[in-house]
């Protein structure tokens, strides 16, 4: 049976009502309300849940805000993921929009309103509406943090994972840019004349392996520290000679974007690229950075008169070529590191003329 008692200040004036429930097999439940009616209602509901075996301890979820949860997720999870730094800006956006809510109070309606507000927000950086892909990433990040809270950190969420009930924004059509006609030859010719001598071997290696830029190249980024000062931090180490086995024709990636290591098989062309490279003292396979290659690649495309081609499109190109060579979905996923076939599909754009050849 619940005990309801008043709470008085120093002058004996009632300032609230405290409900206390002691029941065998359950932790002591204590909560204070502004009115006696609210205290009685809470006690009645809580005791009913205990009797029906559906009681959930809400104390920690009531005391933990979304802001607190995301901060902990950033500290304990994101810092251990390759590319986790890219999520920090999304953390701040989510904290600004939803941070004040407790985990016990956050629900699908609140998250849906956040989604709709973001869909109508103009980006200060681009001057255009924020893309649906960005908002989908934000909701996905929030969902992963809530799952971590419930499954690993023991924070009970009374209403379950609310993001699971929220409709995600429809994504734009997947980018399907591939090298066409003689674009590969023109691109590689332009790379040969680049000031950055690493550009051509990097481009060929990317086409042959479908590896991400951060898996191939060292990368740096400027971020602000707690005092607001810009500091340069390494965000990826790039491929190391210690992880390359020329005899087995493999390149091991101990840390990838999705947090799982994988070993990439190397084609004969990729091996030729590696065998022609000088060995650097610092152990890196490619003695340049992503930032340097990014600029050199853009200039090479301009010289080759190739429009709308990004370095990341080479990953699309390589993935599609794997399928055109006859590899199956799980084989390609093992090479590229895609966790789901849906994501793999977005990176795969097969040429109709090549499919026609397979039909005979």
């Amino acid at each position: 049976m619940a005990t309801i008692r008043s709470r008085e200040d120093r002058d004996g004036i009632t300032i609230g009502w405290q409900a206390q429930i002691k029941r065998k097999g359950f932790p002591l439940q204590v909560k204070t309300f502004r009115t006696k009616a609210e205290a009685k209602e809470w006690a009645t509901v809580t005791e009913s849940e205990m009797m029906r075996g559906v009681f959930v301890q809400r104390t920690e979820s009531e005391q933990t805000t979304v802001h607190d949860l995301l901060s902990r997720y950033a500290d304990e999870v994101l810092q251990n993921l390759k590319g986790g730094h890219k999520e920090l800006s999304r953390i701040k956006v989510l904290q600004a929009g939803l941070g004040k809510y407790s985990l016990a109070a956050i629900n699908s309606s609140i998250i849906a309103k956040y989604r709709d507000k973001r869909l109508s927000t103009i980006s200060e950086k681009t001057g255009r509406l924020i893309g649906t892909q960005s908002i989908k990433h934000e909701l996905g990040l929030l969902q992963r943090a809530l799952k971590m809270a419930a499954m690993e950190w023991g924070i009970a969420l009374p209403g379950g994972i609310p993001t699971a009930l929220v409709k995600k924004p429809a994504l734009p059509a997947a980018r399907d840019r591939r090298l066409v006609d003689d674009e590969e030859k023109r691109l590689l010719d332009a790379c040969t004349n680049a000031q950055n001598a690493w550009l051509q071997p990097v481009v060929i290696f990317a086409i042959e392996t479908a590896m991400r830029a951060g898996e191939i190249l060292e990368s740096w980024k400027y971020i602000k520290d707690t005092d607001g000062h810009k500091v340069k931090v390494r965000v990826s180490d790039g491929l190391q000679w210690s992880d390359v086995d020329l005899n087995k024709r493999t390149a091991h990636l101990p840390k990838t974007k999705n947090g799982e290591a994988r070993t990439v098989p190397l084609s004969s062309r990729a091996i030729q690229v590696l065998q022609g490279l000088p060995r650097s003292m610092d152990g890196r396979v490619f003695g340049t950075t992503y930032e340097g290659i990014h600029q050199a690649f853009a200039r090479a495309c301009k010289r080759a008169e190739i429009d709308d081609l990004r370095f990341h499109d080479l990953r699309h190109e390589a993935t599609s070529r794997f399928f055109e060579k006859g590899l199956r979905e799980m084989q390609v996923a093992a090479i590229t590191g895609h966790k789901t076939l849906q994501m793999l599909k977005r990176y795969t754009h097969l040429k109709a003329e090549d499919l026609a050849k397979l039909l005979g």
Side-chain angles (χ1 to χ4, degrees), residues 133 136-137 143-144 147 171 212 256-258 260 262 315 319 323 328-348:
Q133 181 72 65
K136 186 173 185 295
H137 283 318
Q143 180 158 313
R144 292 192 296 275
K147 282 186 176 180
L171 294 178
R212 300 179 178 92
T256 67
K257 181 180 178 180
N258 62 22
E260 295 182 0
R262 77 176 191 276
R315 178 165 161 83
T319 304
F323 281 107
R328 297 180 179 179
E329 288 87 350
M330 295 308 296
Q331 292 173 318
V332 175
I335 299 173
T336 62
H338 290 105
K339 281 190 171 183
T340 67
L341 294 182
Q342 184 62 31
M343 282 302 299
L344 183 59
K345 181 181 178 181
R346 288 181 63 83
Y347 273 80
T348 305

Side-chain angles (χ1 to χ4, degrees), residues 73-88 90-91 140-141 144-145 148 212 214-215 234-237 254-261 339:
Y73 188 78
D75 293 339
E76 298 184 18
V77 179
L78 292 184
Q79 68 173 355
N80 297 318
L81 294 178
K82 190 179 185 71
H85 66 283
K86 297 178 181 178
E87 300 276 36
L88 296 180
R90 296 189 183 110
I91 290 281
L141 173 59
R144 292 192 296 275
M148 180 64 71
R212 300 179 178 92
E215 296 167 347
R234 190 199 308 268
V235 295
S236 68
D237 297 327
K255 192 174 183 181
T256 67
K257 181 180 178 180
N258 62 22
E260 295 182 0
K339 281 190 171 183

Side-chain angles (χ1 to χ4, degrees), residues 230-248:
K230 282 188 175 182
V231 293
K232 188 177 181 181
V233 297
R234 190 199 308 268
V235 295
S236 68
D237 297 327
L239 185 62
Q240 305 291 308
W241 279 115
S242 58
D243 293 321
V244 174
D245 190 323
L246 294 177
N247 293 323
K248 293 182 179 180

Side-chain angles (χ1 to χ4, degrees), residues 8-51:
E8 289 84 20
D9 61 14
R10 293 180 180 179
D11 298 324
I13 299 175
T14 299
I15 56 175
W17 294 84
Q18 184 186 78
Q20 187 177 98
I21 300 175
K22 292 182 179 180
R23 192 178 184 88
K24 186 176 181 179
F26 295 92
L28 174 67
Q29 298 297 304
V30 179
K31 194 168 184 179
T32 301
F33 299 87
R34 292 166 60 181
T35 67
K36 188 174 183 180
E38 291 175 331
K40 286 184 175 181
E41 181 181 1
W42 174 82
T44 300
V45 171
T46 302
E47 287 186 311
S48 174
E49 290 177 349
M50 290 179 173
M51 292 178 62

